[in-house]
Amino acid sequence: MDTPLFDLTGKVAIVTGTSRGLGQYLARALARAGADLVVTSRSLPALAAFKAELEALGRKALPLELDVRDQASIARLVPAVLEACGKIDILVNNAGCNVRKPAEDITWEDWNLVLDTNLRGAFFTAQAVARAMIPRRYGRIINIGSVTNVFGYAGLGEIRGVVYYDFN
């Protein structure tokens, strides 16, 4: 195993949207640096194989169902993590979506899906987790975004940005 650039031994990290893609890459990187993981998806069965992969790296992995578009789902996240892990050190707000069609064809429902996932979901997940971090005066929140925030692409409307919060 390669020597990590930083040591996260003893840290607990939540990564949203870890059923595939970037979320899994981010969670693997945190695990290789020593963090125990809370991995989330709208579909709990979609996390089974990834949980086993993280555990094979020697890390604890807690899969939890989370739909960032659902306020009640977000509200259940922090108590479940605190009960199982005792603390939250890192949140990587990765869950996101876009609608790949020309901007003139995007419907009201399409736009609400993007806003509810990428904006509202990220904000309220960060808010819920921050409420657990602030009393400890420690925590890191990383909101993952898309390159479309920096450079526009014809036919793609999306709202996602990268923001980093440090509660030190």
Side-chain angles (χ1 to χ4, degrees):
M1 187 157 128
D2 295 328
T3 304
L5 295 175
F6 48 91
D7 185 9
L8 296 177
T9 302
K11 303 295 184 193
V12 174
I14 301 170
V15 181
T16 66
T18 47
S19 61
R20 58 188 165 85
L22 187 58
Q24 288 191 354
Y25 285 101
L26 295 167
R28 276 186 205 100
L30 292 167
R32 287 185 180 118
D36 290 324
L37 274 295
V38 177
V39 293
T40 72
S41 172
R42 287 176 289 148
S43 169
L44 204 51
L47 297 171
F50 190 53
K51 175 186 188 293
E53 180 185 333
L54 293 173
E55 289 172 340
L57 292 173
R59 306 306 332 141
K60 294 178 186 171
L62 173 66
L64 291 176
E65 189 173 299
L66 174 66
D67 182 347
V68 299
R69 298 169 300 168
D70 178 31
Q71 187 177 16
S73 182
I74 293 169
R76 289 188 298 270
L77 176 68
V78 172
V81 175
L82 293 177
E83 182 177 328
C85 304
K87 65 179 180 171
I88 303 168
D89 297 299
I90 302 163
L91 167 65
V92 179
N93 245 335
N94 169 70
C97 71
N98 62 36
V99 176
R100 292 189 182 275
K101 59 170 101 167
E104 65 270 16
D105 294 336
I106 298 224
T107 67
W108 187 270
E109 292 76 22
D110 292 337
W111 191 240
N112 281 337
L113 172 68
V114 171
L115 290 176
D116 287 348
T117 304
N118 300 350
L119 188 59
R120 184 176 307 188
F123 175 82
F124 284 108
T125 300
Q127 180 189 63
V129 171
R131 287 179 175 150
M133 291 175 168
I134 291 169
R136 292 181 58 223
R137 300 182 55 86
Y138 182 86
R140 307 290 189 267
I141 297 176
I142 303 161
N143 294 319
I144 300 300
S146 167
V147 71
T148 59
N149 289 298
V150 181
F151 302 103
Y153 287 93
L156 181 61
E158 184 176 9
I159 295 179
R160 275 181 100 181
V162 177
V163 182
Y164 173 78
Y165 301 96
D166 182 341
F167 290 101
N168 253 348

